Amino acid sequence: MLSLPARCLLRPPRQPLPAPPRRGSSGLGRRWLLSTPIFYVNGPPHIGHLYSALLADALHRHRGLLGPGPGRLATGTDEHGLKIQQAAAAAGTAPSELCAHVSGLFRDLFSRAAVSFTDFIRTTEPRHRRAVQCFWAALQGRGLLYKDFYEGWYCTPDECFLTQAQITERPDAQGRPCKVSLDSGHQVHWTKEENYMFKLSEFQEPLRKWLQGNRHVISPEPFYQVVLRWLEEDLPDLSVSRERNRLQWGIPVPGDSTQTIYVWVDALVNYLTVAGYPDAHHTWWPAAHHVVGKDILKFHAIYWPALLMAVGLDPPEQIYVHSHWTVRGQKMSKSLGNVVDPVACFKQYTVDGFRYFLLRQGVPERDCDYYEEKVIKLVNSELADALGGLLNRCTAPSINPSGIYPHFSESCFRKGSDHMDVEASGRALAEDYELIASVDRLPLQVTDYFEHFQIYKALESVVTCVRQTNGFFQRHAPWKLCRDNPAEKCWLDTVLHVTLECLRIYGILLQPVIPATAEKLLSRLSIKPEERAFTGLTFLPRYHGKPCPFEGRKLGPDMGALFPRLETPRSWLVTDGEEGRWVGAHAV
Ligand code: MSP
């Protein structure tokens, strides 16, 4: 028997609902507890799950590079509920075995994907059971639960109750009419049983006030508007338990062995469990920042904040919402057989290649489409050619035989307003000054995009600068400059110095997204681990009249291509008929 802290079981006098909390500042320099959703274990992970985790990982890594606030990243698996109970029965295995196996798959995937989680929670762990039972006792203690006969539609694949307006009728595989959820298309069943109900309706006004006082709490903004609209509709009380004879695979209601706690209440409390609830959560709560898919927005933006307010805790500081991945224009589904295995993607595109693709192409506001040719084209063009090619060109022994971070010469590249005067500006051209201005702005721009959950835009702005730098290198063709001529050597070294400085900035800024490639790049440039933070990041200090600690430093060893070009599998190449000659890949 699990023991609950006495304060969970006491029935305190009913307290007024807490005032809607104010949202904190942007989070810079403060504590953060980032989380992914916890994943159902009825099937192996796919690329949509990985995307949720990568978004959270990139945010976590980015915050870590900004310092100094301590941060955590929690992920894990959601193991209870009818869906898991049925999946185990269908597989002829015990639920606990199914959970252990699939949870292991998620954990392995995230480790392999370099997701820097600090906690991996399983809802079948004793620490979580205790947190959920304590949370339940707190709800009950505040008089916010009552028993009633619940009658309505239940969707097991989504583990949620639906109103009449949320369902529709569609023919099933055999053409028979079948009731399904309007939102997910999954089949629903009529349920009638005695449940505990949570007085959600009492929270409609506090939720509205909370949202109105915290306009940025849900981003991107269109999702915030969606939630506000939901709150204009009726907010009925929520059934928060199931009869034990139907659902055994779950946490029993404390003191009532005939009922099991509803899996969504169980799952949401995971965010408190990882914060140390019920004993030690105050250090981390409410510094919670949840990354969630759009399909589970209502649970996170309505039910969860209401449940938290109900037990006297603040809602999370931030809810980041993302859309879904389709595959060649179709929804991913087992029945269509188009579920994409992330481990196979890592083999095909490398871990960083696939991380880059998902985060560069994934736009949280809208669904994104995956197909193989798109990954290969993007990754080759941006990582292998533009970034890797640039590093390769400016570190080639033929161009930089001494293998050092060369010197910058102010007389070749003058600072400031005189650049309009070609004579006075040495050999730099107007476009070169534009490059300097772009890279100067870049760190702030990238941070701003991360803070606004627009990682794809951060990457786009880095790539634009990488291309500008390639233009700079090409324009001045340092391979044509003669080292034996002192004036030309000065300019050659300056061109290399500027290019390496650009690469240093790109390497540092790309760490949250492609950590292994960034590490390789920065090691090649001989940038020490303590020189890789975002704080105090200054581009081209010599141009700004400051000393450059890297100037004259020996470059790191050449470990080969920064990012190997990906091959297009032969099966995707088309032939021109009888001759069977390769004529190119399918159009992308
Ligand atoms: N167990 C619940 C979450 C509980 S959180 C307290 C759940 N699990 S899930 O495994 O179905 O989904 C986990 C996450 O994966 C969700 O954020 C969901 O949006 C995301 N994705 C599932 N399919 C997806 C795509 N096709 N594309 C992108 N993300 C998708 O819901």
Side-chain angles (χ1 to χ4, degrees), residues 42-49 157 184-186 324-341 369-370:
N42 61 319
H46 60 57
I47 59 168
H49 301 136
S184 68
H186 292 137
H324 281 184
W325 282 90
T326 54
V327 174
R328 291 188 183 273
Q330 279 186 311
K331 194 175 162 166
M332 247 188 296
S333 85
K334 272 192 223 155
S335 51
L336 288 173
N338 65 349
V339 176
V340 182
D341 169 13
D369 197 32
Y370 163 89

Side-chain angles (χ1 to χ4, degrees), residues 37-40 46 48-49 51-52 78 264 267-268 270-271 292-296 300 322-325 332:
I38 48 169
F39 300 89
Y40 286 131
H46 60 57
H49 301 136
Y51 181 56
S52 274
D78 187 354
W264 264 103
L268 288 164
N270 97 84
Y271 301 128
V292 302
K294 63 179 183 179
D295 54 320
I296 53 175
H300 285 83
H322 67 80
S323 300
H324 281 184
W325 282 90
M332 247 188 296

Side-chain angles (χ1 to χ4, degrees), residues 435-462:
L435 169 71
I436 304 301
S438 305
V439 186
D440 257 338
R441 276 194 304 267
L442 192 62
L444 262 183
Q445 226 171 32
V446 164
T447 287
D448 200 51
Y449 283 136
F450 266 86
E451 287 295 312
H452 288 91
F453 198 46
Q454 293 174 316
I455 299 172
Y456 68 104
K457 282 199 184 171
L459 293 176
E460 192 179 291
S461 58
V462 173

Side-chain angles (χ1 to χ4, degrees), residues 20 71 119 161 197 286 366 372 409 433 436 546 552:
D119 196 348
F161 300 93
M197 305 293 291
R366 53 176 186 267
E372 293 90 339
S409 157
Y433 286 94
I436 304 301
K546 295 187 192 133

Side-chain angles (χ1 to χ4, degrees), residues 510-527:
L510 287 170
Q511 292 175 97
V513 173
I514 44 171
T517 308
E519 147 66 32
K520 194 170 176 185
L521 169 55
L522 294 170
S523 295
R524 178 75 173 111
L525 302 187
S526 225
I527 309 301

